[in-house]
Amino acid sequence: QQPVQSPQAVILREGEDAVINCSSSKALYSVHWYRQKHGEAPVFLMILLKGGEQKGHEKISASFNEKKQQSSLYLTASQLSYSGTYFCGTRGGSQGNLIFGKGTKLSVKP
Amino acid sequence: DGGITQSPKYLFRKEGQNVTLSCEQNLNHDAMYWYRQDPGQGLRLIYYSQIVNDFQKGDIAEGYSVSREKKESFPLTVTSAQKNPTAFYLCASSLSASSYNEQFFGPGTRLTVL
């Protein structure tokens, strides 16, 4: 089942913070986060696994609440380069397919 | 440089014609994936392959076919049975299908059926 992302879109000024949420109606084993700029390939940001293990870019911060079946991506002191659409992908087990949300479009203005 | 290449970047076809999208990776990854992206819909899985000579249907496989004869190549054929083929197609690969491995995406092919 497709995870739900919120908000659908957000506009920030440079230096402002944002939180993007990803919620599932099913139990989650892992959550993946990707960013896609218009017309380009999605780029990996972070993986969060059940049990607390994380893998990803040092400057990216995220959380995974297994009980609530939710993950949040924290973007602090935003830069113009943060603009793009952020996707979460979820898995219910250690194997299996990623199911992606519809995305959150982030626009950072000068 | 290691990475994933997709060709062509833009593709135009007439309705009723089959078309094959290329995907090649030199990352030595076992797993490869094809996604379809429509505006506002996120990425939807068409087919995936965990190993050479093996592949499985994803959520929207109808009207598509794939092959995995070589580790580095995973071509996707969009057949005339696909009712609405106009979309942005993304190929991806990962070291394995494990949850611990991130997916690396190619630049995509934008297919327009006239």
Side-chain angles (χ1 to χ4, degrees):
Chain A
Q1 199 150 2
Q2 190 174 38
V4 176
Q5 290 187 232
S6 62
Q8 289 185 335
V10 58
I11 300 174
L12 300 176
R13 293 285 182 190
E14 267 188 296
E16 292 182 337
D17 302 337
V19 180
I20 300 173
N21 301 302
C22 176
S23 298
S24 175
S25 59
K26 291 188 165 185
L28 297 177
Y29 183 87
S30 67
V31 180
H32 294 217
W33 286 97
Y34 293 82
R35 176 174 61 215
Q36 183 180 31
K37 294 187 180 287
H38 184 69
E40 297 181 7
V43 173
F44 167 72
L45 296 176
M46 179 160 282
I47 295 172
L48 302 105
L49 295 158
K50 187 177 179 180
E53 192 172 0
Q54 295 187 0
K55 175 184 177 183
H57 295 280
E58 292 177 358
K59 294 187 178 180
I60 299 291
S61 174
S63 65
F64 180 19
N65 188 322
E66 296 167 33
K67 285 184 180 178
K68 291 187 176 180
Q69 295 155 195
Q70 292 177 350
S71 177
S72 295
L73 188 69
Y74 304 98
L75 302 167
T76 58
S78 59
Q79 304 171 18
L80 296 176
S81 62
Y82 287 11
S83 292
T85 300
Y86 289 76
F87 292 99
C88 69
T90 59
R91 270 201 177 104
S94 60
Q95 299 284 328
N97 305 328
L98 273 179
I99 302 174
F100 285 92
K102 293 186 177 183
T104 294
K105 186 173 181 179
L106 177 74
S107 301
V108 181
K109 308 289 185 185
Chain B
D1 284 341
I4 301 179
T5 56
Q6 290 185 244
S7 61
K9 189 170 184 178
Y10 298 96
L11 191 55
F12 297 89
R13 279 295 181 267
K14 290 183 180 179
E15 198 171 338
Q17 289 182 334
N18 291 358
V19 60
T20 298
L21 281 58
S22 167
C23 177
E24 304 276 334
Q25 55 99 359
N26 61 3
L27 300 167
N28 201 31
H29 284 173
D30 282 326
M32 296 188 75
Y33 314 82
W34 273 105
Y35 292 94
R36 170 179 171 142
Q37 189 173 31
D38 296 283
Q41 294 300 315
L43 291 87
R44 293 184 291 169
L45 183 67
I46 305 172
Y47 268 97
Y48 67 102
S49 169
Q50 296 189 47
I51 200 167
V52 175
N53 292 323
D54 185 49
F55 49 83
Q56 286 83 38
K57 293 181 180 180
D59 300 319
I60 56 165
E62 186 176 350
Y64 300 98
S65 65
V66 294
S67 63
R68 185 89 187 275
E69 296 176 1
K70 297 186 296 182
K71 188 175 185 177
E72 58 270 23
S73 179
F74 192 40
L76 173 75
T77 297
V78 184
T79 75
S80 56
Q82 169 49 235
K83 293 178 183 177
N84 185 18
T86 295
F88 189 48
Y89 291 87
L90 285 161
C91 179
S93 72
S94 61
L95 192 60
S96 75
S98 161
S99 275
Y100 193 73
N101 297 129
E102 66 269 35
Q103 294 185 13
F104 294 80
F105 286 84
T109 292
R110 190 166 296 280
L111 173 65
T112 302
V113 175
L114 306 171

